[in-house]
Amino acid sequence: MLVDERLWTLFKRNCQHTLTYWSVFFSFGLCIAFLGPTILDLRCQTQSTLKEITWVFFSQQFCLLIGSTIGGAFKKTLLCALSALFLSSLMISVIFAIIPLCHNVLLLAVAMAVAGLAMGIIDTIANIQLVKIYQKDSAVFLQALHFFIGFGALVSPLIADPFLSETNCVGGNMTENMTEIMHHLRNTLSGAGGHSHNVSQYSLPTEGEVTTSVSYAFWIMALINLPVPIAVFVLMYRERLVPWCGSSDPRLLDRDELALETQGGAEQEPEDKDADAGGHGDLFSCCQNDNLRGLPPSFFGIHILGGLVLFMTDGIVGAYAGFVYTYAVSPPMALAHKTAGYLASVFWAAITAGRLVSIPLSYRFPPVRLLTVNLAGVITTVLLLLIFYTSSVFLFVGTSLLGLFLSSIFPCMLAYTEDILEYQGCATTVLVTSAGMGEMVMQVLVGSVIHSEGSYSFLLCGMIIGCIGFILFFGLLLFHRMHKNYLTGTSKKTAMVEEPVTDCVKQ
């Protein structure tokens, strides 16, 4: 069979839960990619300077990090988890609907901060719930989960593109001077020509003159996202979690977990309870958990190094998606702006395709092997981009390859670390938080380096970050071996203690 019968049986048993968690990640993807192509129109809408509009990016990423950090606190019960997902996905539709009404940059930053908080909560809860349902079989389903981020991130720019202002964002008769200013603004917002010109010297039209069609794009995205909170509400209704639908029947997830425990044997029940009690909370409760006392250094090393690897790799994703256009339109590449604009779409399309391909691959190969190939592929691709830095053709080829190699690193790392820790740590919360922090920090860091050192430093930064990530991954492999030896030694000691007790009983 193309799909393992046991995995298919597990999926059918948890079909509605799984599809719902996948759908909320589509909401995540919609939010993560729309700011880049619409930023000029939003700047004109809010009558803001370039310096002011950058706070919109920061507010979204910072609150995404906060949401990822506290998201695990909502996993205590299925009611809390689904309620948080419902409110978060509904809030994303509301934010899309009100963005066209934000004519002040502060209001826009607040709106994007709320959207970022919702994205972070979705990120943590959906990952935790899937790992909780499938545990050792979660790799395949996590790959599919993260495919929907890429799918949403691909759809979002495609919806926005027909409504973007090509030359300006004001109505009425336009002079050549204003057209030139708008071209310059678009170049400057992408990073091109930022050293020689000061954007602040150009005056923007008054509020009454500003008209933009991009509002329709946001309203379309709000409507497209609306079925997602509806799907979460339907799941809550089916699980008898809606207040006016009380019932004494057991919830579906409870029956599924009972079936999984029965398959694994009655002796696993205490371990599952410990796993639930000991991990997957919010980051602060994880650090304060009493069950962490007495654990070996390798246990904490796996959390830290796994998080640092994702800090680097997700940092590459954020930095590359944010600045590949800047690199392409600057010398020595100097591509036409319209041609360079396709690079971000190619990158997200490659990530989406890579996550789709990784679904069957994660069934056939262990996560550690996929991680090794992907991390080596990232370094090799960036090295080739450095070598062929004048080739526009290879820039598109390299962008596709980089997206393919980066696509499955997060779900593979999540499945790998959770399996090492036997689902008793806080790996999901730590990894999600580290990935979000890496994306936020690396965007700021790489942007500063490009501004001061030039566009070629963009690829050098990617190479350095990729090499550091690969070194950290080797450290993770070392800690995995240490932790395995610790578990083996613990089991031997337990067996030696139990054997004399058994002999006394026989005598």
Side-chain angles (χ1 to χ4, degrees):
M1 288 183 63
L2 184 62
V3 180
D4 183 84
E5 185 176 353
R6 186 176 59 85
L7 289 178
W8 180 244
T9 302
L10 284 172
F11 174 72
K12 288 193 295 185
R13 185 184 298 128
N14 301 282
C15 175
Q16 189 172 4
H17 282 268
T18 305
L19 292 176
T20 302
Y21 299 142
W22 288 350
S23 70
V24 294
F25 254 48
F26 176 77
S27 293
F28 186 103
L30 278 178
C31 257
I32 205 171
F34 81 89
L35 261 182
T38 62
I39 194 66
L40 175 58
D41 297 82
L42 291 176
R43 182 176 185 269
C44 294
Q45 174 183 298
T46 57
Q47 297 294 287
S48 59
T49 64
L50 179 62
K51 184 177 181 180
E52 290 171 341
I53 204 70
T54 55
W55 285 102
V56 176
F57 286 97
F58 179 81
S59 64
Q60 183 192 39
Q61 290 294 328
F62 181 71
C63 288
L64 191 154
L65 177 62
I66 294 176
S68 300
T69 304
I70 67 174
F74 298 101
K75 71 97 203 179
K76 295 180 180 179
T77 64
L78 185 61
L79 174 60
C80 289
L82 292 181
S83 298
L85 288 180
F86 171 74
L87 292 175
S88 297
S89 56
L90 181 62
M91 188 57 63
I92 287 176
S93 282
V94 173
I95 293 299
F96 277 134
I98 67 174
I99 281 177
L101 307 178
C102 296
H103 295 286
N104 181 281
V105 70
L106 181 59
L107 292 177
L108 182 62
V110 171
M112 293 312 305
V114 175
L117 189 66
M119 292 163 62
I121 292 173
I122 286 173
D123 196 6
T124 300
I125 292 179
N127 278 292
I128 286 177
Q129 291 300 115
L130 269 190
V131 170
K132 186 177 178 181
I133 291 174
Y134 293 104
Q135 296 204 2
K136 290 185 179 296
D137 298 303
S138 61
V140 174
F141 302 98
L142 286 171
Q143 294 286 359
L145 178 73
H146 288 268
F147 160 79
F148 281 93
I149 288 185
F151 182 56
L154 178 62
V155 168
S156 187
L158 294 178
I159 296 173
D161 185 69
F163 302 98
L164 298 179
S165 302
E166 289 294 332
T167 57
N168 57 72
C169 55
V170 297
N173 296 325
M174 296 301 303
T175 63
E176 289 185 12
N177 184 47
M178 181 58 72
T179 301
E180 182 181 347
I181 291 174
M182 287 297 116
H183 276 299
H184 175 77
L185 288 176
R186 189 176 291 277
N187 295 346
T188 308
L189 286 167
S190 66
H195 297 288
S196 57
H197 294 31
N198 181 10
V199 184
S200 300
Q201 66 182 310
Y202 298 105
S203 60
L204 286 169
T206 61
E207 185 175 351
E209 297 176 307
V210 175
T211 60
T212 175
S213 300
V214 79
S215 302
Y216 298 110
F218 291 117
W219 290 329
I220 291 172
M221 284 188 278
L223 289 174
I224 290 176
N225 184 72
L226 197 56
V228 176
I230 294 175
V232 179
F233 183 82
V234 170
L235 179 59
M236 294 175 66
Y237 180 84
R238 184 179 176 182
E239 292 296 301
R240 306 293 188 268
L241 298 176
V242 181
W244 57 85
C245 297
S247 174
S248 59
D249 293 337
R251 295 197 299 266
L252 180 62
L253 185 60
D254 293 336
R255 296 197 297 270
D256 293 339
E257 291 175 341
L258 181 60
L260 290 174
E261 290 174 0
T262 304
Q263 291 176 1
E267 68 277 4
Q268 290 183 351
E269 184 176 352
E271 181 181 348
D272 292 339
K273 289 180 180 179
D274 291 340
D276 184 61
H280 299 129
D282 63 279
L283 191 63
F284 304 108
S285 63
C286 284
C287 297
Q288 299 172 1
N289 201 308
D290 293 336
N291 295 339
L292 300 181
R293 295 176 182 175
L295 291 171
S298 59
F299 179 88
F300 302 99
I302 290 168
H303 283 84
I304 295 171
L305 288 174
L308 287 176
V309 172
L310 288 185
F311 182 92
M312 299 298 169
T313 54
D314 267 52
I316 294 176
V317 172
Y320 198 87
F323 297 106
V324 65
Y325 178 85
T326 302
Y327 171 75
V329 298
S330 303
M333 191 66 65
L335 291 180
H337 292 177
K338 190 172 183 62
T339 303
Y342 291 119
L343 283 167
S345 297
V346 168
F347 183 65
W348 283 113
I351 288 180
T352 305
R355 285 169 175 168
L356 185 62
V357 171
S358 298
I359 295 172
L361 290 179
S362 61
Y363 168 66
R364 296 182 177 273
F365 301 101
V368 63
R369 185 175 300 180
L370 294 176
L371 281 169
T372 304
V373 172
N374 286 334
L375 288 168
V378 169
I379 295 175
T380 303
T381 301
V382 178
L383 179 61
L384 290 174
L385 284 169
L386 281 167
I387 295 173
F388 301 105
Y389 67 95
T390 58
S391 173
S392 59
V393 174
F394 191 77
L395 178 60
F396 279 87
V397 174
T399 299
S400 301
L401 290 175
L402 188 63
L404 288 173
F405 286 122
L406 285 168
S407 61
S408 62
I409 289 179
F410 184 94
C412 283
M413 181 62 73
L414 187 58
Y416 177 52
T417 52
E418 287 283 13
D419 192 30
I420 294 174
L421 301 171
E422 298 181 349
Y423 310 92
Q424 297 184 32
C426 288
T428 300
T429 304
V430 172
L431 294 185
V432 170
T433 303
S434 300
M437 188 180 297
E439 192 168 343
M440 180 180 70
V441 171
M442 289 302 174
Q443 279 183 336
V444 175
L445 180 62
V446 173
S448 300
V449 173
I450 293 174
H451 181 76
S452 59
E453 302 297 332
S455 64
Y456 188 75
S457 60
F458 167 64
L459 294 178
L460 288 175
C461 289
M463 188 67 184
I464 294 171
I465 296 169
C467 289
I468 294 175
F470 202 57
I471 293 171
L472 293 170
F473 177 66
F474 274 107
L476 177 62
L477 296 179
L478 177 62
F479 273 89
H480 180 196
R481 182 178 294 273
M482 293 170 56
H483 195 66
K484 186 185 293 184
N485 293 336
Y486 166 79
L487 294 177
T488 303
T490 303
S491 61
K492 286 181 179 180
K493 290 179 182 179
T494 304
M496 292 175 63
V497 171
E498 290 180 350
E499 187 176 351
V501 175
T502 305
D503 291 339
C504 286
V505 172
K506 288 181 179 180
Q507 292 176 1

